[in-house]
Amino acid sequence: MNRFKAFWGFWFILIGIGLGLNTLSRSGWAEEPINQEINEEELLETPLAIPEISLPGTSWRLILWGTSNQLKQPLSRTEITANFTQNKITGSGSCNQYNTSYREDNNRLTVSPPASTRKACSLDIIQQEAAYLRALERAESYAITSQQELRISFKTDEGLGVMIFAPQAIPAL
């Protein structure tokens, strides 16, 4: 009889864990797409850019990104950052630190292939980081908007995507 109770007790615990994980994924632990469409023509236009702000000396945190079909937030337990110095970008890709060089010319942006550390993280975070670094390398243009956002347009296999960053304090060196 004790083995029977232990068997069912074990299954009830597993079911409880499964329900708990399902609740966590619905409460913000999983990447939640935002059903907001992006007009590709609007992405190509520079949205009310502030000309006197340049990229060097700025630091940003990614808040939204995606393609013309859908914007999404980064995974809630991660932070993606981009810190611009003269011709260099450094930051966190979600799990690992990265760095790369860039060139800007009249809001056109060219980013070299990024190098990053190789820390082990969960698969979903590694996939997000790889997608972010690929998008960064495919950057085409940028604008700093009147809402104090950095918008980087990048090429995708389907057309055009956008990364939207909010300003953050410049990290200490």
Side-chain angles (χ1 to χ4, degrees), residues 4 48 66 82 87 91 94 103 124-125 160-161:
F4 180 75
L48 299 175
N87 302 320
S94 292
R103 282 183 290 122
D124 58 338
I125 293 174
L160 196 60

Side-chain angles (χ1 to χ4, degrees), residues 15-33:
I15 291 170
I17 291 171
L19 290 173
L21 289 174
N22 186 35
T23 301
L24 282 176
S25 71
R26 291 177 186 221
S27 66
W29 274 71
E31 184 175 350
E32 294 291 329

